[in-house]
Amino acid sequence: MEDSTRHLGHCMVDMKELSAAGEVSFLLQSVILTPKLPQVEFSLACNDLVAPGRDRKPNALVQVDVIDPHKQHLVSHACTEIVEANKDPLFLTGVTFPSEYPASPETLVKLTVYDAKNKNQESSSFLGSATFSVGDLLRAKDERLTLSLRSSDGVCTAGTVVVSRLKMGEMEEVDVDHITTDAPLQKCPLVCESAQQSCIDREHHLLTGPVFKNPVCKVYRFQTVDNKWMLVREQMEECTLSFSIPKQLLSLYVQEDMSRVQDLRELGELSPHWDNLRKEVVTQYGGLISSYQDTLAELDKISGRSFKPSCCKAQKSLEFIPINLHTQRMRVTCPKKTDAIYEIVTVGAPAAHFQGFKCGGLQRLLSRYEAEKKSFSTAYQCIYYSPEHTAKAQEVLSTMSLLQPLITSLADQLLQAAQEHSSSGLRDALKSLSDKTEQFFTHLDELVKSALLALHAARPGYVSKSQKQTLHQGQIKPEPANQSPVQGLPGHGSTTSATESAAVCNNVEGPQTMAGEEGAPLAPRHPDSIPNHKEYDEEEWDRVSNVAKCHCVIAMVDKLQEDDNNKQEPASEQKLPTCQSHHNNPGDWREQLSPVVARLKECVMEVVEKAKRAMTFVLLQEAACSIPQGFLLQQRRDVVFSQALAALICGFVMRLYAGVQDKGFLKQLHLVGLVAQFESLLSTYSEEIGMLEDMEVGISDLQRVTFKITEAKSDELGDLQPLVCGRRDHFTVEVPLPQLVFQTLPKEIKEGRPLRVYPVLFNVGINEQQTIAERFGDISLQERINQKNFETLEAYYKSLSEKVPLECLPCFQTQTDIKELLETLGQNVVTKKRKNVEILWTAGTICRRLNGIRFTSCKSAKDRTSMSVTLEQCALLRDEHQLSKDFFVHALDCMRSRPTQGDLGQWEDPEAGTVTENKPASRHFYPIALLLVSSHLLVVWLILSLVFLLAKYQ
């Protein structure tokens, strides 16, 4: 049975503490929304409880309800943990009213105390209740109330309940023996001393308004090893990006595919074979576009929801939406120490649940598809292109569309500088233009030239050199359509060399004709075919490319500046490159540069058009030989990437908001980038293998994403939403910040430097299915994923240590060196050990040390995710904040506890969006460990499980 996602988070400090901060800091902190300041936080304790049975002490818990003074109805708000066998229980779980909750001094709070007969039982007995107003607590002496608990008849007293407000600097002596633990009896101060300035610096600048909503807060108090108390606030929030990012991606997918269809139509006239293949590809693109448009229309109808519950994971209209995407934040306030904040994103594993996993996930499907692609290309008479060639073609198309207008703009700037007769301006503009043209041509390799020859051969009426030779003998033997010059490239299946094929195309001369009969004149080819056979020449491509490389412009600028420096008339017959024009007035720089720059623009435009057609033809052949499997895989990959990207942007925004005033973090951000560590708890058994294969590809595809920080147009929430732009081969995410915040950023970030993220994935299955996989199945997928991503993480740290001082990284109480942690992780990755959770622990620790972004996932981000997150946060309290070892298990139980009585125990369920009846808590991972006690029981259990699975799938 799956439990709801656990909450990690924080609540803010009192408003009066803002007076300690400077004016600039205050402006930064309040620029998005009013800072989140808690109105009321209080702890609970009971005295002299009377259990129904006189022979035992009660197992007490307190249900907290709020009576709305205006609507006069009861609303469930919180519930404490169960304190067993104690008539004077002190509850570690407190109650908080965050600023988002509409509480007022007139708000009434009802406390109901129950006796849970047993933690595993569904029934509990009523002990008593008491009611007070928030105003009563605020006006009380020392802000403490002692209330009598009234029994059901309203007459008898069942004990008392003590309500104490929690606030900074409060010190109180409390009997620790009220808490069920093995710790010795002692007195210790209650929460909580804290450095006020640290609360402001680390907390108030968090810009949570634009992206995060519906916070659910909890507060705890735990004992430290020095017998003092720490205050722990945890907060879960939903993320509005769950829907907004997939909708933006769907729009981009539609635009890209429609543009691809238009490019295919602009290829010009093709031979009947290629024209039929083009029609098939256009039809497939049309189906994909229609499907995405329908999905987008369905998503536009949804309003109010900000996340997808796991019960909808296989719903067609929501397949692009991540499952249970939430942010978790824990803030720890310890006596005499700086506050600490720990953040994590929980999300269901990015996977195509609607399409299912009967044939595996993306990793397996793509490998099988590439293996079968060569046979597909032969059947369709297409050219086989490797994934590297396909990716290169997409990269060229994307780069051409970006660089061509930029080069044109820089050329105009060069002319403007020439008109102003500014030597420095002319030199700067020329340098920028030269750099961009060089970048432009680095993408034009042999693939473009060979693809041009292949496109030339696909025109109607194409006659090769060998065919022309036989033409004079009265015989024409048409070449197979799949014999193309591009097959000489590495990765192609043809044995024909590129040199031979190029010679065939480059020696086509004269008007091209089709033979009707021997000796009959050949009809001229259609004039719209591109490139024209008569005019096509490989040397022409080289000439145009050389002109577009800016050599002529550089030579002219050098001459003009040399003449200006010499201050004398230049030699009338000075030799210049053939593309330069000579003028009688050397003093007019613009007049002399204009013809050269105009020729440069023309050549760049011509190169772009030729390269665009060539790469479109490459993608046509790649798509034609993959119908329909390639389009189904593309759709699956789009679905998985959409879920992964929404989670990544959520984590990046959360991390950016938290570190926007941290100079070391910002320096690391623009010099190297951030590591995004995805922790997966999926098993390598049954359907979860497919989910893990999907997740592996989806996380890997995030390498194509870069971020850019921009200045928001206004402080309106709509203008502060992240925007996605680009196409499948590369996406850029723009994260707008308010003007006041943006102006404090480093120059490099404000200038729009791309910010990289390095995604890594580590997986360790932990459930009973993983036990079966490790004993009888195959875990090589998990081992390969962990080894590959360890190498990525190691390479990131090497780059980081070379470019960023270690002082920029956060400090922790545990002083283990990052190199030692990496060595430990490397050893664990290669160690053959069942359910080696040390991999996850070490990877998570390294990620926090590197200022990274943490993600935790399982199938639905519920059971296993909640167990992992709560265990991690208690370990952090123990290692970094000196949580008493005697309190570790109790703190863990406290954070994992949920009420067990359906009538009394209502709690905020993140999946329902409203209060729901509670379910029994999952206190441990799974009961499989009990079966391992006896091999006979394990065998019986395995046989019964197999019988059940066979019956289920039959």
Side-chain angles (χ1 to χ4, degrees):
M1 181 180 297
E2 291 184 332
D3 198 2
S4 60
T5 306
R6 296 304 310 151
H7 309 153
L8 286 174
H10 73 281
C11 299
M12 306 295 180
V13 296
D14 293 333
M15 190 64 162
K16 59 185 179 183
E17 295 181 356
L18 284 176
S19 59
E23 180 180 358
V24 175
S25 178
F26 176 78
L27 290 173
L28 290 175
Q29 295 154 9
S30 59
V31 77
I32 297 287
L33 287 176
T34 302
K36 297 181 177 179
L37 310 175
Q39 297 171 341
V40 178
E41 290 178 342
F42 58 84
S43 62
L44 297 171
C46 293
N47 295 318
D48 302 322
L49 292 180
V50 179
R54 300 292 179 176
D55 57 338
R56 70 177 187 87
K57 295 179 181 179
N59 300 325
L61 76 156
V62 180
Q63 171 74 20
V64 182
D65 301 303
V66 176
I67 304 175
D68 193 310
H70 304 291
K71 300 181 180 179
Q72 293 298 319
H73 67 270
L74 203 65
V75 179
S76 176
H77 183 72
C79 187
T80 68
E81 78 279 11
I82 298 174
V83 179
E84 294 180 310
N86 199 319
K87 67 176 183 178
D88 300 319
L90 175 65
F91 299 99
L92 298 184
T93 304
V95 180
T96 179
F97 288 85
S99 60
E100 293 82 1
Y101 192 89
S104 64
E106 293 77 24
T107 299
L108 297 179
V109 180
K110 180 180 180 181
L111 307 176
T112 307
V113 183
Y114 291 90
D115 175 22
K117 296 295 193 313
N118 189 293
K119 284 190 175 183
N120 297 325
Q121 290 182 356
E122 293 288 331
S123 61
S124 298
S125 59
F126 174 82
L127 294 182
S129 64
T131 303
F132 69 95
S133 69
V134 173
D136 293 338
L137 178 61
L138 299 178
R139 290 188 296 267
K141 183 180 180 181
D142 299 328
E143 296 184 320
R144 172 184 296 196
L145 293 175
T146 302
L147 307 172
S148 297
L149 293 171
R150 295 294 176 181
S151 59
S152 56
D153 56 12
V155 178
C156 299
T157 301
T160 60
V161 58
V162 180
V163 183
S164 303
R165 188 183 180 191
L166 302 178
K167 57 183 180 180
M168 295 299 175
E170 178 182 358
M171 300 293 293
E172 180 182 351
E173 297 294 325
V174 177
D175 288 328
V176 183
D177 59 319
H178 290 187
I179 304 173
T180 56
T181 178
D182 296 332
L185 300 182
Q186 53 190 325
K187 299 278 187 177
C188 64
L190 190 65
V191 293
C192 171
E193 296 178 284
S194 176
Q196 294 184 359
Q197 185 63 39
S198 66
C199 298
I200 297 173
D201 291 345
R202 295 294 304 276
E203 198 67 32
H204 278 278
H205 67 270
L206 294 175
L207 315 176
T208 60
V211 174
F212 309 112
K213 60 186 294 187
N214 299 333
V216 178
C217 303
K218 289 180 116 179
V219 61
Y220 309 96
R221 47 181 177 173
F222 300 131
Q223 187 182 3
T224 61
V225 293
D226 56 355
N227 299 329
K228 294 186 178 181
W229 292 81
M230 71 174 76
L231 187 67
V232 178
R233 297 183 177 99
E234 54 179 2
Q235 176 172 302
M236 179 193 76
E237 290 181 299
E238 300 169 9
C239 183
T240 60
L241 304 180
S242 293
F243 281 79
S244 65
I245 297 302
K247 289 166 68 174
Q248 292 184 53
L249 271 182
L250 281 168
S251 298
L252 292 175
Y253 289 153
V254 170
Q255 293 175 14
E256 179 180 350
D257 290 343
M258 293 178 69
S259 175
R260 184 65 49 76
V261 170
Q262 184 63 28
D263 291 341
L264 289 173
R265 289 170 176 164
E266 292 177 353
L267 273 178
E269 190 175 1
L270 299 175
S271 64
H273 169 73
W274 289 109
D275 192 51
N276 290 333
L277 289 179
R278 173 168 58 180
K279 291 178 181 178
E280 290 186 39
V281 171
V282 169
T283 301
Q284 291 291 330
Y285 272 119
L288 199 61
I289 292 171
S290 177
S291 175
Y292 287 178
Q293 289 175 334
D294 292 343
T295 301
L296 191 57
E298 291 295 324
L299 292 178
D300 287 336
K301 297 177 183 178
I302 300 175
S303 60
R305 185 186 294 183
S306 56
F307 72 98
K308 180 177 78 173
S310 61
C311 60
C312 300
K313 60 175 172 283
Q315 188 172 330
K316 168 65 176 174
S317 60
L318 299 178
E319 63 177 342
F320 287 85
I321 311 300
I323 302 171
N324 277 333
L325 177 59
H326 293 84
T327 61
Q328 322 279 348
R329 185 179 293 115
M330 179 176 72
R331 176 190 174 191
V332 185
T333 304
C334 290
K336 308 297 184 182
K337 294 181 181 180
T338 303
D339 287 14
I341 298 175
Y342 303 96
E343 298 170 321
I344 193 169
V345 177
T346 59
V347 62
H353 292 275
F354 173 77
Q355 299 182 32
F357 309 96
K358 186 176 181 180
C359 298
L362 269 174
Q363 190 272 335
R364 193 189 321 173
L365 293 172
L366 288 172
S367 299
R368 186 185 306 156
Y369 165 70
E370 288 299 331
E372 297 174 351
K373 199 171 175 183
K374 290 186 178 181
S375 61
F376 290 160
S377 62
T378 302
Y380 281 91
Q381 295 186 350
C382 298
I383 302 166
Y384 169 74
Y385 285 96
S386 66
E388 292 77 15
H389 288 138
T390 303
K392 181 67 177 179
Q394 294 173 340
E395 180 185 0
V396 169
L397 286 173
S398 179
T399 304
M400 296 298 101
S401 61
L402 293 175
L403 291 181
Q404 189 266 329
L406 185 58
I407 291 175
T408 301
S409 174
L410 291 174
D412 293 337
Q413 293 180 20
L414 183 70
L415 291 178
Q416 181 64 31
Q419 183 174 358
E420 296 172 358
H421 214 277
S422 170
S423 296
S424 60
L426 194 67
R427 180 59 60 185
D428 292 341
L430 179 63
K431 184 179 185 304
S432 299
L433 180 62
S434 177
D435 291 342
K436 290 304 176 183
T437 52
E438 182 179 356
Q439 181 182 354
F440 180 83
F441 278 95
T442 56
H443 292 82
L444 301 180
D445 58 4
E446 288 299 318
L447 177 62
V448 177
K449 184 182 295 186
S450 300
L452 280 173
L453 299 179
L455 177 59
H456 175 65
R459 298 300 182 186
Y462 167 73
V463 182
S464 68
K465 180 179 179 181
S466 59
Q467 288 175 316
K468 287 191 65 181
Q469 292 175 349
T470 59
L471 204 62
H472 300 288
Q473 304 172 6
Q475 298 177 355
I476 294 183
K477 298 179 181 179
E479 280 192 350
N482 61 337
Q483 296 296 318
S484 171
V486 77
Q487 293 178 345
L489 286 173
H492 296 298
S494 175
T495 58
T496 304
S497 68
T499 307
E500 289 180 5
S501 300
V504 169
C505 288
N506 290 331
N507 284 277
V508 176
E509 299 176 356
Q512 303 305 311
T513 59
M514 294 297 292
E517 56 183 12
E518 183 177 355
L522 300 176
R525 189 179 60 85
H526 196 284
D528 292 336
S529 296
I530 300 172
N532 186 276
H533 291 175
K534 182 177 180 179
E535 299 176 357
Y536 183 81
D537 186 358
E538 185 177 1
E539 294 181 0
E540 174 64 20
W541 165 260
D542 293 334
R543 280 194 300 272
V544 172
S545 300
N546 287 331
V547 173
K549 288 180 180 178
C550 205
H551 297 318
C552 299
V553 178
I554 294 174
M556 175 62 79
V557 171
D558 289 340
K559 174 183 178 300
L560 293 176
Q561 291 192 330
E562 181 182 355
D563 293 344
D564 187 63
N565 292 334
N566 295 334
K567 295 183 179 180
Q568 60 185 7
E569 292 295 326
S572 58
E573 297 298 327
Q574 181 175 2
K575 294 184 179 180
L576 292 174
T578 55
C579 56
Q580 293 186 16
S581 299
H582 300 275
H583 299 273
N584 296 325
N585 183 13
D588 189 352
W589 287 4
R590 182 184 178 93
E591 182 181 350
Q592 297 186 62
L593 274 177
S594 292
V596 184
V597 172
R599 177 61 177 156
L600 172 69
K601 290 181 181 180
E602 293 174 1
C603 291
V604 168
M605 180 65 71
E606 185 175 352
V607 169
V608 168
E609 291 299 322
K610 289 179 179 293
K612 183 178 179 181
R613 292 192 179 95
M615 296 300 95
T616 300
F617 188 63
V618 170
L619 296 180
L620 167 63
Q621 296 175 85
E622 194 274 339
C625 68
S626 61
I627 295 174
Q629 184 67 15
F631 286 89
L632 294 176
L633 284 177
Q634 183 63 68
Q635 185 174 10
R636 187 184 190 101
R637 198 166 188 170
D638 290 345
V639 167
V640 175
F641 178 76
S642 173
Q643 299 177 25
L645 181 62
L648 177 66
I649 298 177
C650 172
F652 182 88
V653 171
M654 180 177 68
R655 189 66 191 87
L656 176 65
Y657 287 176
V660 73
Q661 289 181 314
D662 186 343
K663 294 183 179 179
F665 166 76
L666 295 175
K667 185 175 183 179
Q668 173 187 353
L669 181 61
H670 73 78
L671 286 179
V672 184
L674 298 181
V675 62
Q677 187 244 331
F678 289 81
E679 173 185 294
S680 170
L681 306 172
L682 294 171
S683 68
T684 54
Y685 181 81
S686 187
E687 285 190 343
E688 292 197 4
I689 297 181
M691 298 177 199
L692 183 57
E693 291 172 339
D694 274 358
M695 187 176 185
E696 178 191 6
V697 176
I699 300 305
S700 177
D701 285 347
L702 293 177
Q703 298 175 13
R704 301 175 294 169
V705 179
T706 57
F707 289 82
K708 185 168 70 172
I709 311 300
T710 61
E711 183 177 355
K713 298 178 181 178
S714 69
D715 292 348
E716 297 293 329
L717 295 185
D719 292 331
L720 295 171
Q721 290 289 329
L723 300 175
V724 183
C725 57
R727 47 201 302 162
R728 286 183 177 92
D729 61 307
H730 180 77
F731 287 101
T732 299
V733 181
E734 297 181 358
V735 181
L737 292 180
Q739 181 180 7
L740 290 175
V741 179
F742 183 80
Q743 295 303 322
T744 64
L745 298 177
K747 177 183 177 182
E748 294 83 357
I749 296 180
K750 290 192 292 185
E751 289 177 349
R753 173 175 294 186
L755 310 176
R756 291 198 59 186
V757 172
Y758 298 82
V760 293
L761 169 65
F762 291 93
N763 183 85
V764 176
I766 60 172
N767 62 359
E768 73 274 13
Q769 291 186 336
Q770 184 64 21
T771 302
I772 299 174
E774 291 178 342
R775 286 183 176 271
F776 310 107
D778 180 16
I779 61 171
S780 59
L781 173 63
Q782 174 176 289
E783 293 173 344
R784 180 180 56 77
I785 289 175
N786 292 339
Q787 179 63 40
K788 176 183 176 182
N789 287 274
F790 165 72
E791 295 170 359
T792 302
L793 184 61
E794 193 175 35
Y796 170 82
Y797 174 70
K798 182 179 179 181
S799 175
L800 179 68
S801 58
E802 293 173 352
K803 299 180 181 179
V804 178
L806 295 180
E807 292 76 15
C808 295
L809 300 179
C811 299
F812 288 85
Q813 293 294 323
T814 52
Q815 298 299 323
T816 308
D817 186 69
I818 298 180
K819 289 184 178 179
E820 296 180 14
L821 291 173
L822 282 170
E823 291 177 1
T824 303
L825 179 60
Q827 294 171 1
N828 281 304
V829 163
V830 299
T831 301
K832 301 292 184 180
K833 181 181 177 181
R834 293 176 180 174
K835 297 185 179 180
N836 190 1
V837 294
E838 287 296 325
I839 294 176
L840 301 182
W841 281 101
T842 309
T845 302
I846 294 173
C847 178
R848 285 189 293 270
R849 295 291 184 90
L850 296 178
N851 261 330
I853 312 169
R854 287 271 291 114
F855 301 83
T856 297
S857 299
C858 62
K859 181 178 180 179
S860 301
K862 293 169 64 178
D863 250 4
R864 284 167 280 179
T865 298
S866 65
M867 291 294 184
S868 174
V869 170
T870 51
L871 184 61
E872 178 181 356
Q873 71 181 50
C874 284
L876 287 170
L877 295 177
R878 177 194 61 197
D879 299 336
E880 302 295 334
H881 303 281
Q882 300 181 329
L883 173 67
S884 174
K885 294 181 179 179
D886 298 319
F887 272 72
F888 183 88
V889 175
H890 194 65
L892 191 61
D893 288 343
C894 190
M895 291 182 175
R896 291 178 176 177
S897 67
R898 292 171 61 87
T900 56
Q901 167 104 356
D903 294 334
L904 72 94
Q906 292 187 336
W907 190 253
E908 299 87 351
D909 187 344
E911 290 213 346
T914 59
V915 294
T916 61
E917 291 188 358
N918 288 284
K919 303 173 183 178
S922 296
R923 303 304 302 274
H924 304 286
F925 278 115
Y926 288 93
I928 184 65
L930 298 177
L931 298 174
L932 301 180
V933 176
S934 169
S935 59
H936 299 291
L937 287 177
L938 178 60
V939 171
V940 172
W941 178 79
L942 288 174
I943 293 174
L944 292 176
S945 298
L946 291 174
V947 171
F948 172 76
L949 291 173
L950 289 174
K952 177 180 178 181
Y953 288 102
Q954 284 179 353

